[in-house]
């Protein structure tokens, strides 16, 4: 195979930490033992992500170092040192303790990227709770599904978001308290009856707190992720994941003491947690958190204004920057950028080639999943980049391409992308669904659900997903979740949802809808159904397109054949339709 290669100069030895492993090292599991020793374990062999990310820096020479440089939607800037984040999160741990939160309880957050989100996250970990940040754009349905399934005891949120989901709160039997932040400074509207004010609780809380004894195997963070069937599943991670989040922060993000790091992902998705909270702060690095959404000039401005050196973003964002043109970046000084990475969807070679003159460097693709907790396959900073490849497995991780019997395939052949279990940040269960968890492991491998191939030099190339899950702008959307909302509309009899290819977002959600008797297809009804879904879900995951059909293709057992809907949409062969029941 012929590849285009972007060659790298020999790395500057002065910047390479002595502990950096050799990327050519074979899969050496002993590497994790070495890395583990770099963390500051708690007395008695306990491990807590909050201690590794915040307290150990706040208790050492870095206590006065800026941990968080926050830029709000309106351009306001606040900074927090590691010592300040320690004090705030200790106080929030006391708040939670006072409300009866115990080790293992679930504490969820539905918040914009505001400082209080990060304080609540670490405060939760410090009481030994399992924390679950939710995507702030979610409407009532996805929030209800996730809070019900997790049995969350506490929800920390903000006034506007609280109002958006008000209708589902009474259905959440296990939810004991809703804590609302920012009531005083940003939205002074009165609290709903029974809600607690974050500011009032914090003003009375003590800042003396001793972290609850959590072991490396205690649950710490959960993220809901979508599958082909059923509602999203809660992938649960342990405190041990911090070992790999820290290591990949060093090896893949190339974080150094003096870096200013910016991850554009929201903590409601796993990238925004593993790499927007845990990896940078376990490495003691200053990170910029930008509350605003996407706008090309605003993003370049963030880089210039804060002197961002390491930038972790997503292919859709890069394609949106491409669309905005090369004149916009020319108006900004982007020379602080030293290393750029992207994840979540395939990074097309054109995007890397576009980025070369704009950023004066290659964008580095890497691959992982909610379930893997941290990066597993990456283009390292020192590696030659092959545009279109996800890179090579990180040290300590063994990847393979398997056939349908889960036997290793030769180089160059497409098959199931699989990983040998046992990496530190591996998910430990799907919340209350161990059957589905076990189904992900076959013949000693974790089956990722992606198809890929590997070349003769060990570079992995993504081919596609094996299931019906839609990847829109790097966000996974389960078709069932969207279909369930659509059939809640009074006019909808049946709904089938697919991912339709899109030049910017990779895929957009498209729904096929059959109407109930008495309803006629019309543009007005289409807009109404789209609005109905957007209000309940989130603009990004609700259908962008709706097509009316008299009825949907189903199997004889009544299952909607999404595969067929997709093949018809794309004008592809329909494949095996022997189980099709057309009416
Ligand atoms: O299909 C792969 C795609 O995103 C999936 C994981 O999504 P999620 O669990 O939301 O985790 C996001 C954090 C990375 C994968 O199974 N994916 C992820 N990275 C890449 C990718 N597809 C192609 N290239 C990538 N670099």
């Amino acid at each position: 195979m012929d590849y285009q290669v972007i060659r790298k100069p020999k790395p500057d030895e002065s910047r390479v930490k002595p502990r950096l492993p050799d990327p050519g090292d074979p899969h050496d599991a002993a590497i994790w033992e070495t890395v583990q020793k770099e963390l500051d374990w708690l007395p008695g062999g306990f491990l807590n992500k909050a201690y590794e990310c915040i307290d150990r820096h706040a208790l050492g020479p870095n206590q006065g170092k800026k941990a968080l440089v926050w830029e709000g939607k309106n351009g306001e800037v606040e900074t927090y040192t590691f010592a300040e984040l320690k004090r705030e999160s200790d106080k929030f741990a006391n708040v939670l303790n006072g409300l009866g939160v115990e080790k293992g309880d679930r504490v969820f957050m539905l918040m914009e990227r505001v400082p209080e989100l990060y304080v609540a996250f670490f405060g939760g970990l410090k009481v030994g709770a399992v924390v679950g940040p939710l995507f702030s754009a979610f409407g009532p349905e996805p929030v209800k599904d996730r809070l019900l399934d997790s049995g969350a005891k506490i929800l920390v949120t903000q006034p506007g978001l609280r109002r958006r989901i008000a209708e589902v709160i009474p259905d959440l039997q296990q939810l004991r308290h809703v804590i609302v932040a920012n009531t005083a400074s940003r939205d002074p509207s009165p609290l709903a009856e029974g809600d607690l004010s974050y500011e009032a609780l914090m003003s009375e809380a003590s800042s003396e707190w001793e972290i609850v004894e959590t072991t490396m195997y205690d649950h710490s963070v959960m993220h809901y992720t979508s599958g082909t069937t059923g509602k999203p599943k809660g992938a649960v991670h342990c405190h041990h994941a911090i070992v790999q989040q820290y290591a990949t922060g060093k090896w893949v993000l190339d974080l150094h003491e003096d870096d200013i790091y910016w991850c554009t992902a929201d903590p409601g998705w796993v990238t925004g947690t593993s790499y927007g909270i845990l990896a940078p702060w376990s490495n003691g690095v200053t990170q910029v958190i930008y509350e605003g959404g996407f706008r090309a000039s605003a993003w370049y401005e963030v880089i210039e204004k804060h002197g961002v050196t390491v930038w972790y973003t997503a292919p859709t964002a890069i394609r949106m920057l491409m669309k905005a043109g090369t004149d916009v970046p020319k108006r900004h000084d982007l020379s602080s950028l030293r290393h750029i990475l992207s994840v979540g969807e395939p990074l097309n070679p054109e995007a890397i080639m576009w980025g070369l003159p704009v950023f004066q460097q290659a964008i580095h693709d890497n691959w992982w999943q909610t379930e893997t907790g941290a990066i597993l396959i990456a283009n390292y900073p020192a590696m030659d980049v092959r545009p279109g490849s996800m890179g090579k497995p990180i040290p300590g991780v063994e990847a393979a391409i398997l056939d349908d019997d889960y036997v290793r395939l030769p180089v160059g052949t497409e098959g199931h992308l699989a990983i040998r279990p046992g990496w530190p940040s591996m998910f430990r269960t799907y919340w209350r669904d161990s059957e589905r968890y076990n189904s992900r492991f076959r013949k000693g491998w974790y089956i990722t659900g992606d198809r890929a191939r590997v070349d003769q030099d060990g570079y992995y190339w993504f081919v596609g997903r094996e299931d019906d899950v839609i990847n829109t702008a790097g966000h996974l959307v389960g078709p069932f979740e969207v279909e369930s909302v659509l059939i809640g509309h009074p006019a909808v009899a049946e709904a089938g949802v697919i991912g339709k290819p899109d030049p910017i977002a990779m895929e957009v959600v498209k729904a096929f809808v059959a109407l109930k008797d008495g309803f006629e297809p019309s543009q007005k009804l289409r807009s109404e159904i789209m609005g109905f879904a957007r209000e309940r879900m989130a603009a990004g995951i609700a259908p962008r397109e709706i097509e009316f059909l008299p009825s949907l293709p189903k199997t004889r057992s009544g299952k909607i054949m999404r595969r067929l809907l997709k093949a018809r949409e794309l004008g592809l062969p329909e494949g095996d339709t022997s189980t099709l029941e057309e009416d």
Side-chain angles (χ1 to χ4, degrees):
M1 280 179 267
D2 255 356
Y3 302 117
Q4 187 174 25
V5 176
I6 299 173
R7 299 231 177 263
K8 288 293 185 67
K10 248 181 96 54
D12 172 1
E13 297 295 333
S14 65
R15 291 197 65 90
V16 177
K17 289 186 183 178
R19 296 183 303 257
L20 198 72
D22 172 6
D25 209 358
H27 318 297
D28 173 12
I31 192 96
W32 298 123
E33 278 171 37
T34 316
V35 176
Q36 274 170 210
K37 293 195 190 111
E38 294 176 21
L39 298 178
D40 291 351
W41 293 61
L42 291 162
F46 295 106
L47 184 68
N48 190 290
K49 284 175 170 167
Y51 185 81
E52 299 304 329
C53 291
I54 303 298
D55 291 17
R56 72 167 173 153
H57 307 301
L59 297 169
N62 274 344
Q63 56 184 262
K65 181 175 177 176
K66 285 179 197 167
L68 165 59
V69 178
W70 177 77
E71 180 167 340
K73 277 180 190 159
N74 305 317
E76 63 274 46
V77 174
E78 290 175 14
T79 59
Y80 294 77
T81 62
F82 282 102
E84 284 163 340
L85 279 188
K86 175 174 181 331
R87 199 189 56 229
E88 293 296 295
S89 53
D90 282 340
K91 281 166 79 175
F92 198 69
N94 273 307
V95 165
L96 293 175
N97 183 52
L99 295 173
V101 174
E102 293 175 358
K103 187 172 167 181
D105 284 344
R106 274 78 60 214
V107 171
F108 272 54
M109 286 133 279
L110 177 69
M111 307 180 86
E112 311 266 8
R113 287 183 298 278
V114 291
E116 291 84 348
L117 164 59
Y118 303 86
V119 169
F121 182 92
F122 287 119
L125 292 175
K126 287 183 170 185
V127 291
V130 184
V131 292
L134 297 174
F135 186 38
S136 59
F138 276 158
E141 289 301 320
V143 171
K144 178 178 163 183
D145 288 344
R146 287 157 178 79
L147 293 180
L148 264 185
D149 184 73
S150 63
K153 209 174 192 178
I154 304 280
L155 175 67
V156 191
T157 186
Q158 293 171 269
L161 305 179
R162 168 69 174 83
R163 282 194 292 276
R164 193 199 291 156
I165 58 146
E167 67 192 68
V168 303
I169 299 279
D171 300 337
L172 305 169
Q173 298 302 327
Q174 285 177 275
L175 188 68
R176 298 260 192 85
H177 299 287
V178 179
I179 301 176
V180 183
N182 282 340
T183 40
S185 54
R186 295 175 154 216
D187 183 345
S189 52
L191 292 180
E193 205 189 320
D195 284 2
L196 303 170
S197 154
Y198 174 93
E199 285 78 7
L201 291 166
M202 288 290 271
S203 71
E204 285 168 14
S206 156
S207 55
E208 297 287 313
W209 177 259
E210 200 165 315
I211 295 181
V212 164
E213 292 176 342
T214 46
T215 73
M216 61 197 262
Y217 301 116
D218 279 324
H219 295 164
S220 57
V221 177
M222 71 195 279
H223 270 289
Y224 278 81
T225 184
S226 299
T228 295
T229 54
K231 298 275 189 179
K233 308 287 174 290
V236 185
H237 293 283
C238 294
H239 285 278
H240 196 206
I242 196 68
V243 172
Q244 196 171 336
Q245 287 149 351
Y246 162 76
T248 49
K250 229 167 34 142
W251 303 339
V252 183
L253 304 183
D254 196 31
L255 295 175
H256 289 70
E257 269 291 312
D258 51 355
D259 274 318
I260 307 286
Y261 169 76
W262 182 30
C263 169
T264 59
D266 187 277
W269 305 94
V270 74
T271 307
T273 301
S274 293
Y275 292 96
I277 301 181
L278 300 163
W281 281 333
S282 59
N283 277 279
V285 160
T286 302
Q287 70 163 325
V288 174
I289 288 171
Y290 176 57
E291 191 195 11
F294 179 84
R295 199 158 47 81
S297 55
W299 275 34
Y300 292 127
E301 179 66 30
V302 169
I303 294 169
E304 179 174 9
K305 179 167 165 190
H306 301 288
V308 172
T309 56
V310 179
W311 185 34
Y312 199 15
T313 188
T316 293
I318 293 167
R319 288 190 290 266
M320 282 157 67
L321 292 174
M322 283 171 78
K323 201 173 156 201
T326 41
D327 281 350
V328 193
K330 281 191 194 133
R331 281 183 234 128
H332 297 271
D333 177 3
L334 305 175
S335 60
S336 58
L337 285 171
R338 176 173 62 75
H339 188 37
I340 310 178
L341 311 96
S342 120
V343 76
E345 348 145 32
L347 179 64
N348 44 324
E350 300 75 26
I352 300 184
M353 301 322 283
W354 173 82
L356 275 178
V358 174
F359 303 119
Q360 301 293 313
Q361 59 202 294
I363 303 165
H364 293 68
D365 190 14
N366 48 86
W367 176 96
W368 57 292
Q369 304 178 304
T370 304
E371 287 84 347
T372 74
I375 296 168
L376 294 189
I377 298 177
N379 286 281
Y380 299 87
M383 237 164 79
D384 292 339
V385 171
R386 293 188 177 176
S389 163
M390 316 187 282
K392 298 185 186 190
I394 62 163
V397 164
E398 183 183 356
I401 304 295
L402 308 180
D403 67 15
D404 291 344
D405 292 322
Y406 307 110
V407 174
R408 211 185 265 266
L409 281 164
V411 157
T413 317
E414 178 190 320
H416 307 276
L417 173 63
I419 310 288
R420 188 75 77 192
W423 68 95
S425 62
M426 187 174 96
F427 72 138
R428 301 303 160 131
T429 191
Y430 284 123
W431 188 252
R432 296 202 189 111
D433 198 347
S434 49
E435 201 180 312
R436 183 177 283 249
Y437 179 74
N438 293 334
S439 76
R440 301 297 303 265
F441 299 88
R442 293 273 191 265
K443 295 198 180 161
W445 292 99
Y446 164 69
I447 309 301
T448 65
D450 283 349
R451 292 187 75 71
R453 59 189 165 78
V454 58
D455 68 23
Q456 63 275 23
D457 299 318
Y459 282 75
Y460 280 74
W461 300 75
F462 180 81
V463 174
R465 288 187 65 90
E466 306 201 289
D467 57 18
D468 290 345
V469 172
I470 300 156
N471 189 333
T472 180
H475 299 155
L476 297 190
V477 180
F480 178 79
E481 214 182 343
V482 184
E483 288 158 6
S484 314
V485 167
L486 289 172
I487 56 175
H489 187 278
V492 176
E494 295 173 336
V497 167
I498 62 159
K500 179 178 169 178
D502 181 83
I504 301 281
M506 184 162 124
E507 290 185 312
V508 291
V509 178
K510 168 156 187 180
F512 295 87
V513 162
L515 295 174
K516 286 183 183 157
D517 285 347
F519 290 92
E520 287 301 319
S522 69
Q523 186 52 38
K524 185 164 169 277
L525 185 56
R526 181 179 289 121
S527 314
E528 192 190 304
I529 299 172
M530 278 207 237
F532 175 88
R534 253 202 310 272
E535 227 171 71
R536 278 160 186 77
M537 309 194 72
I541 61 173
R544 187 90 68 85
E545 248 183 66
I546 292 184
E547 185 174 329
F548 293 116
L549 293 177
S551 69
L552 299 187
K554 288 186 279 305
T555 61
R556 279 186 208 116
S557 57
K559 268 174 61 180
I560 289 168
M561 295 179 83
R562 297 187 195 113
R563 184 178 52 78
L564 196 61
L565 287 170
K566 187 151 182 170
R568 287 177 182 171
E569 171 72 29
L570 303 181
L572 295 172
E574 296 195 354
D576 179 10
T577 51
S578 57
T579 58
L580 177 67
E581 183 92 78
E582 294 263 31
D583 37 36

